[in-house]
Amino acid sequence: AVRGVPLAAVGVRSGRLVVAAADQHAASTRWLAHSASLDANHEASSSVQLPEEATWLHYGAPAAIGLSDRRANARTCISADGTMLFSCGYWDSSFKCTSLESGRGIVSLRAHVDVVTVVSLSEDGTTLVTGSRDTTLMVWPVSAAAASHGRPPLADKPRLILHGHDDEV
């Protein structure tokens, strides 16, 4: 926990420590080796202490009703370069990409017909998968190069839609 709030995502990316809290606030700061104890998978193994100068930015929109707090870590992920936060669980069935430098929304997409319950990035950061209460998974290509040139890092439509789940993902 940080600031007394459970963590949703923690990562060390490009020399920066990036933390997203379950209360929809995120911070990014220069990595200080004594700030946290991280294992080989870059997951927090203890509480995280950020320097006082870390700026907390609000991300996202109001969350949908009925989402489990225990799965907050499935609703956020950090881009491979540590500059973007992908999040879901919003009442409008969207998932969002937020700049961790400015706190501004980069893109908000509504492709699922019900609340998006999970977002996950591939290990190399080039593929995002979203899952929903509508029982589908969608596969999205991620372009960090597009984002660095001021364009959205995601296309308007998914590369692939996977059907076949009997219940929400």
Side-chain angles (χ1 to χ4, degrees):
V2 66
R3 299 176 22 250
V5 177
L7 297 179
V10 175
V12 177
R13 308 282 195 270
S14 302
R16 299 197 65 77
L17 174 65
V18 183
V19 176
D23 69 352
Q24 293 182 276
H25 284 83
S28 173
T29 188
R30 188 172 43 86
W31 169 246
L32 301 172
H34 64 276
S35 294
S37 173
L38 300 179
D39 64 24
N41 294 323
H42 302 294
E43 297 295 328
S45 58
S46 67
S47 64
V48 174
Q49 299 296 319
L50 291 175
E52 292 295 322
E53 70 271 9
T55 302
W56 288 90
L57 307 168
H58 183 268
Y59 66 88
I65 296 172
L67 293 174
S68 169
D69 286 340
R70 292 178 313 207
R71 291 188 34 142
N73 63 339
R75 293 191 300 270
T76 57
C77 55
I78 301 163
S79 65
D81 63 2
T83 62
M84 296 177 286
L85 178 74
F86 296 95
S87 60
C88 69
Y90 304 112
W91 65 270
D92 64 356
S93 302
S94 68
F95 68 97
K96 302 178 184 313
C97 176
T98 304
S99 166
L100 286 169
E101 295 169 354
S102 68
R104 289 187 174 163
I106 297 171
V107 67
S108 177
L109 293 172
R110 286 188 290 180
H112 291 278
V113 296
D114 205 340
V115 174
V116 180
T117 56
V118 63
V119 292
S120 184
L121 271 171
S122 62
E123 194 168 310
D124 66 1
T126 62
T127 303
L128 179 77
V129 177
T130 58
S132 171
R133 285 181 180 165
D134 68 11
T135 72
T136 63
L137 290 166
M138 294 188 183
V139 180
W140 304 82
V142 177
S143 173
S148 68
H149 289 93
R151 296 188 311 272
L154 300 167
D156 291 339
K157 296 183 182 199
R159 179 183 327 153
L160 188 62
I161 301 174
L162 304 169
H163 300 271
H165 284 81
D166 293 331
D167 203 353
E168 75 176 58
V169 180

